[in-house]
Amino acid sequence: GNSVTQMEGPVTLSEEAFLTINCTYTATGYPSLFWYVQYPGEGLQLLLKATKADDKGSNKGFEATYRKETTSFHLEKGSVQVSDSAVYLCALSDPGGTYKYIFGTGTRLKVLA
Amino acid sequence: DTAVSQTPKYLVTQMGNDKSIKCEQNLGHDTMYWYKQDSKKFLKIMFSYNNKELIINETVPNRFSPKSPDKAHLNLHINSLELGDSAVYFCASSQPQGNTEAFFGQGTRLTVV
């Protein structure tokens, strides 16, 4: 079955450090890939997405590239801020319409001033 | 104007009680979901509905019964609450095509004492 694997957290960085959160997936066919962000006490917000191989999603300085050859969708940001502290969740959906989004375990990011 | 709204935000109740969580979306989506997030932030699908019809029931105990009176609403009723039901429950909606993102509500933190 389809699945998503994320790196274990928490990840603690100093402000302005470079961020990478790894995400790999297992899927039949060609899934769409998403990164969601969850701030403390809040719901999930879409951060970025990519719907086909080699697509790059980007938003608020974050970016991720859909890599079919390595089945990966790693999240990166060049310079993190304290306000980026949150839980980041990688997810996939089946474009055939399986009516299900499958999430990774989430990675908590803490950015120190 | 909130896209996906769920009520209540917090719910504290005793073991054995019956409770309901309500969800409404104003995005015109055909598909709605219930997800459960455990204390480690892992998000797991419980149910999905498309056009008021149950599509996915992901091995959830019979004590959980979703009801969709119309496309814009998906409520979750839980009978005989147990301590292990304590979690954050998220409602979400999307179009059924998997290349679009799901929109999430703010979550309902259920605590069973």
Side-chain angles (χ1 to χ4, degrees):
Chain A
N2 298 340
S3 65
V4 176
T5 303
Q6 268 184 255
M7 61 187 286
E8 289 279 336
V11 173
T12 303
L13 296 173
S14 298
E15 212 167 19
E16 298 184 7
F18 184 85
L19 169 71
T20 300
I21 300 178
N22 289 339
C23 172
T24 57
Y25 68 90
T26 302
T28 52
Y30 303 97
S32 292
L33 302 172
F34 308 86
W35 276 101
Y36 281 84
V37 59
Q38 186 177 19
Y39 297 103
E42 297 187 14
L44 280 73
Q45 302 173 28
L46 179 71
L47 183 59
L48 53 83
K49 69 178 185 181
T51 57
K52 60 184 188 299
D54 299 326
D55 265 3
K56 178 187 279 190
S58 60
N59 186 22
K60 299 181 182 179
F62 292 89
E63 55 184 37
T65 302
Y66 188 146
R67 301 279 187 209
K68 186 167 176 294
E69 63 277 10
T70 54
T71 61
S72 65
F73 193 54
H74 304 321
L75 183 69
E76 296 182 334
K77 187 176 186 184
S79 175
V80 294
Q81 306 301 312
V82 172
S83 57
D84 293 327
S85 298
V87 174
Y88 292 82
L89 299 105
C90 185
L92 67 80
S93 72
D94 187 336
T98 55
Y99 308 100
K100 180 163 65 173
Y101 294 80
I102 297 170
F103 285 83
T105 50
T107 302
R108 185 181 299 276
L109 170 66
K110 186 173 182 180
V111 181
L112 305 176
Chain B
D1 202 17
T2 306
V4 182
S5 60
Q6 53 183 109
T7 55
K9 189 168 182 182
Y10 300 98
L11 189 49
V12 181
T13 188
Q14 291 188 326
M15 273 195 325
N17 282 353
D18 303 339
K19 290 293 178 186
S20 292
I21 306 171
K22 294 187 175 181
C23 179
E24 176 181 5
Q25 54 97 1
N26 62 7
L27 297 167
H29 288 158
D30 292 332
T31 309
M32 294 187 73
Y33 312 81
W34 278 108
Y35 278 83
K36 180 179 180 181
Q37 187 175 48
D38 62 23
S39 57
K40 295 186 178 180
K41 299 296 185 183
F42 182 59
L43 206 62
K44 186 171 165 52
I45 184 131
M46 300 173 68
F47 302 103
S48 69
Y49 270 71
N50 189 60
N51 279 324
K52 303 193 300 175
E53 189 179 327
L54 178 67
I55 303 296
I56 286 177
N57 178 342
E58 199 83 349
T59 60
V60 178
N62 290 342
R63 299 181 295 104
F64 290 79
S65 53
K67 280 194 172 51
S68 181
D70 55 59
K71 275 185 4 176
H73 296 84
L74 180 62
N75 303 322
L76 183 65
H77 188 76
I78 315 170
N79 289 328
S80 304
L81 278 154
E82 300 177 358
L83 292 177
D85 297 333
S86 296
V88 181
Y89 292 84
F90 284 99
C91 177
S93 73
S94 76
Q95 291 296 21
Q97 298 89 347
N99 61 356
T100 60
E101 65 268 27
F103 291 77
F104 284 79
Q106 292 297 294
T108 296
R109 181 175 293 278
L110 172 64
T111 303
V112 182
V113 298

